[in-house]
Amino acid sequence: MVSVFRKYNRQSLILFAACIVLFMAAGCNHVSLPQSYTKVDVYPHIYPDYVNVTVPVNIAPLCFEMDDACEEMVARMYCGEQEILCGGGSVQPDAEEWSSLLSGAAGKDVTVEVFAREKGEWKGFKPFVISVSADSIDPYISYRLISPSYVGYEDLTINQRCLENFEENVIYDNMLCSTANDGQCINCHHYQNYNPERMQFHARQNLGGTVISYDGNITKRNLRNDSILSAGVYPAWHPWLDLIVYSTNLTGQVFHTRDLNKIEVFDSGSDLIAYDIKRNEITNIQNEDDQLEVFPAWTPDGKTLYYCSAHIVYNDSTDRALQTIHQAKQLKYCLYKKSFDLDTWQFGPPQMVFNADSIDKSATLPRISPDGRFLMFTLGNYGCFHIWHRDADLWLMDLQSGVAQPLKTVNSDNTESYHSWSSNGRWLVFSSRRDDGGFTRPFIAHIDSEGKATKPFELPQQDPDRHRQMLWSYNIPEFMKGPVKTSPQTFAKVLRSESMQPAKYVGRLSK
């Protein structure tokens, strides 16, 4: 929570501390079920919506409140002989009691009965269940916390959150290297095979460079070269080799006054490059002049690289960025793949995987399940920056049958975008604007071996109203097998240092 509460003044912090003391004093002690109440045959309208969701056995407590006005609420959660009674202004189960309840309910359902008092009269709502999967979830996720305006971008952090409790810490704070005259923007954090000891992120503008943390060795890399469009942007670290594929992007943005999709982020040029970490060498691997290649992603066996590409034709009469803006709604990205030879490190030719253009759609962000069977992607009406497109949904392709279809149980009537598979392939986390249309928040859903997903649930918070009070968006949620232990100050020290020699451009990768 540091990243949020550091923005408050001292008086706010004192008030927050007082609230914590009151909460700890009140807890769920001495809570009892109402003796007299009126039964209503509807589920309670609660926030966050945890009605009939499936959760991992090791998830933090699901705290919630009535979304309708009430004077008091009580909830009974039980499975077999174990139960929790909790209530007051909201339901905030004790962590130890919750963990014990879920451990005993693994593979079963926890039944939840909710009662609310309004104008002195109690109502008892239709019970719902929380299904407890025996499939555990990776203990951590990380994400950027950023203003949704894309204007005041300097005040942002990369945070990590323990999913087994409510602990949240800052991995890196953008303001550590920003000054009044020289700003900085960090983006695109990524890990090799969920390993927090092998991490990379970019810093742009002041003290810019790519930070690579590799088993305790932290370096700042300079990936700029006259033979490529830009430094590396969107990364895909090979599952075990010292090789990262990036897209290089000439990115711009425009702001709409009447379109519901308020911001359009676009590329007037984008290619794919490969970076040999040990040799500090880069090479173009896909750079057609009439194609915009972006969002690389490896298969778990390391033998195939997926990516997105859109066809575009430029003329020489006007600036390419301006031409891209005029063609923005005609840009349809399709999914492609390239084979990769583990012995020679050579890539094969492009092969189309999903022709989104044929259905007048645009596909982005391919992510392959850890068992290699499924390809998940985001499908929208056009363009590549679907996090701002209300029409964007998650789709799943079965790579055995080639059939692709929307994840109907996961999608909402608003934006579903960036997504990540858990390391065991049984959970996915994704960004959604379903709550209010303005802020992206992480949602988690179970997905079985046949690709069937359950109703997603919002990232649990100790204060159930926290997401509605914080004016920040979660960006790029990624699963991790543990926490990043490097301090923000250490990363800042590396960024302030001189970067290594610019990466050498080579025409062909060699092992």
Side-chain angles (χ1 to χ4, degrees):
M1 297 184 187
V2 175
S3 65
V4 175
F5 294 128
R6 66 182 173 82
K7 307 173 190 300
Y8 295 170
N9 58 31
R10 188 170 182 271
Q11 182 178 3
S12 298
L13 289 173
I14 293 173
L15 179 60
F16 170 72
C19 291
I20 289 293
V21 171
L22 289 174
F23 163 72
M24 294 179 65
C28 287
N29 296 326
H30 311 299
V31 173
S32 60
L33 297 176
Q35 297 299 308
S36 177
Y37 59 88
T38 301
K39 287 185 178 181
V40 291
D41 193 28
V42 294
Y43 292 125
H45 191 200
I46 61 174
Y47 178 81
D49 179 10
Y50 294 137
V51 175
N52 299 335
V53 298
T54 298
V55 302
V57 68
N58 59 327
I59 196 68
L62 301 190
C63 302
F64 58 89
E65 60 190 2
M66 292 297 296
D67 213 19
D68 299 322
C70 74
E71 298 151 359
E72 184 182 358
M73 66 180 301
V74 174
R76 178 185 179 228
M77 307 177 180
Y78 64 90
C79 179
E81 299 298 319
Q82 287 187 289
E83 75 168 22
I84 298 175
L85 287 179
C86 206
S90 60
V91 171
Q92 297 168 292
D94 174 80
E96 291 186 7
E97 291 181 355
W98 174 263
S99 178
S100 177
L101 177 64
L102 261 59
S103 295
K108 306 174 185 176
D109 292 339
V110 171
T111 302
V112 183
E113 298 174 347
V114 174
F115 304 85
R117 181 166 59 87
E118 181 182 356
K119 297 181 180 180
E121 300 292 329
W122 283 95
K123 292 180 180 179
F125 294 91
K126 181 180 178 180
F128 64 89
V129 299
I130 297 172
S131 298
V132 182
S133 172
D135 295 323
S136 61
I137 197 168
D138 293 309
Y140 279 82
I141 60 171
S142 59
Y143 39 79
R144 287 196 304 165
L145 282 180
I146 184 172
S147 168
S149 68
Y150 288 86
V151 177
Y153 60 85
E154 287 184 277
D155 194 8
L156 65 91
T157 57
I158 302 175
N159 282 25
Q160 59 188 358
R161 161 69 191 273
C162 181
L163 295 177
E164 299 177 337
N165 53 47
F166 300 110
E167 181 182 346
E168 183 179 23
N169 296 293
V170 174
I171 295 176
Y172 181 69
D173 188 332
N174 195 66
M175 296 299 288
L176 289 174
C177 288
S178 284
T179 67
N181 297 321
D182 296 300
Q184 188 182 83
C185 177
I186 50 171
N187 63 351
C188 300
H189 60 282
H190 183 62
Y191 308 90
Q192 184 181 43
N193 201 25
Y194 306 92
N195 184 355
E197 296 299 316
R198 297 184 179 183
M199 176 192 183
Q200 75 95 69
F201 67 89
H202 302 306
R204 296 182 294 189
Q205 297 176 280
N206 185 44
L207 303 175
T210 296
V211 174
I212 295 179
S213 176
Y214 193 98
D215 296 344
N217 182 34
I218 307 172
T219 55
K220 177 182 174 182
R221 309 295 180 102
N222 179 2
L223 302 188
R224 292 187 177 276
N225 189 284
D226 291 341
S227 297
I228 60 177
L229 286 177
S230 70
V233 180
Y234 300 110
W237 203 326
H238 190 276
W240 65 87
L241 296 176
D242 299 324
L243 181 69
I244 304 177
V245 171
Y246 294 98
S247 65
T248 56
N249 304 69
L250 301 179
T251 302
Q253 64 180 14
V254 292
F255 297 84
H256 302 297
T257 56
R258 289 185 287 181
D259 196 313
L260 287 176
N261 298 324
K262 295 300 181 186
I263 298 173
E264 187 59 40
V265 179
F266 62 90
D267 293 323
S268 58
S270 55
D271 297 328
L272 296 182
I273 64 169
Y275 177 57
D276 185 327
I277 298 173
K278 286 189 175 180
R279 296 187 181 189
N280 193 34
E281 293 178 345
I282 55 175
T283 186
N284 281 304
I285 60 174
Q286 193 67 32
N287 61 336
E288 302 296 326
D289 192 57
D290 62 350
Q291 294 288 323
L292 299 172
E293 301 95 352
V294 70
F295 298 134
W298 288 98
T299 53
D301 64 6
K303 297 180 180 180
T304 307
L305 181 78
Y306 283 79
Y307 64 98
C308 308
S309 185
H311 179 71
I312 188 169
V313 177
Y314 298 110
N315 58 58
D316 296 329
S317 61
T318 57
D319 179 80
R320 284 195 169 191
L322 185 59
Q323 293 182 61
T324 308
I325 293 173
H326 289 159
Q327 299 181 60
K329 291 192 176 182
Q330 284 72 52
L331 288 178
K332 312 289 183 178
Y333 285 77
C334 300
L335 301 182
Y336 291 82
K337 67 179 180 180
K338 295 170 74 71
S339 63
F340 179 73
D341 191 308
L342 292 170
D343 294 324
T344 64
W345 281 33
Q346 297 306 303
F347 290 91
Q351 295 177 273
M352 183 175 284
V353 177
F354 181 75
N355 188 356
D357 192 15
S358 67
I359 57 174
D360 198 29
K361 296 290 184 180
S362 184
T364 61
L365 293 167
R367 293 292 182 269
I368 298 85
S369 61
D371 63 4
R373 178 174 175 183
F374 296 105
L375 166 64
M376 189 174 295
F377 58 94
T378 301
L379 194 73
N381 287 338
Y382 62 91
C384 67
F385 210 72
H386 287 152
I387 197 169
W388 270 107
H389 290 189
R390 291 172 177 257
D391 50 78
D393 284 330
L394 295 183
W395 277 53
L396 192 71
M397 172 181 280
D398 187 332
L399 294 176
Q400 292 181 357
S401 66
V403 174
Q405 54 190 350
L407 278 172
K408 293 183 179 180
T409 55
V410 167
N411 294 323
S412 70
D413 58 0
N414 215 305
T415 305
E416 269 70 55
S417 183
Y418 194 95
H419 45 278
S420 173
W421 293 88
S422 65
S423 62
N424 63 6
R426 296 283 74 87
W427 300 94
L428 63 98
V429 61
F430 61 96
S431 297
S432 178
R433 296 185 188 271
R434 68 186 62 201
D435 280 347
D436 51 31
F439 298 88
T440 52
R441 290 160 185 142
F443 283 76
I444 299 170
H446 184 266
I447 186 164
D448 67 16
S449 60
E450 296 302 313
K452 295 179 180 179
T454 60
K455 176 183 175 180
F457 64 94
E458 194 165 338
L459 177 69
Q461 297 288 357
Q462 190 166 19
D463 177 359
D465 205 44
R466 183 188 176 202
H467 280 162
R468 296 200 284 198
Q469 295 183 26
M470 59 181 283
L471 303 180
W472 300 91
S473 280
Y474 291 77
N475 186 270
I476 315 181
E478 287 274 359
F479 281 111
M480 309 147 66
K481 290 182 178 179
V484 173
K485 296 179 181 178
T486 303
S487 70
Q489 291 74 23
T490 299
F491 281 129
K493 183 178 179 181
V494 171
L495 277 168
R496 293 190 190 100
S497 68
E498 292 293 327
S499 61
M500 64 188 302
Q501 288 295 317
K504 180 182 178 182
Y505 180 81
V506 293
R508 184 177 176 88
L509 279 178
S510 59
K511 187 174 180 181

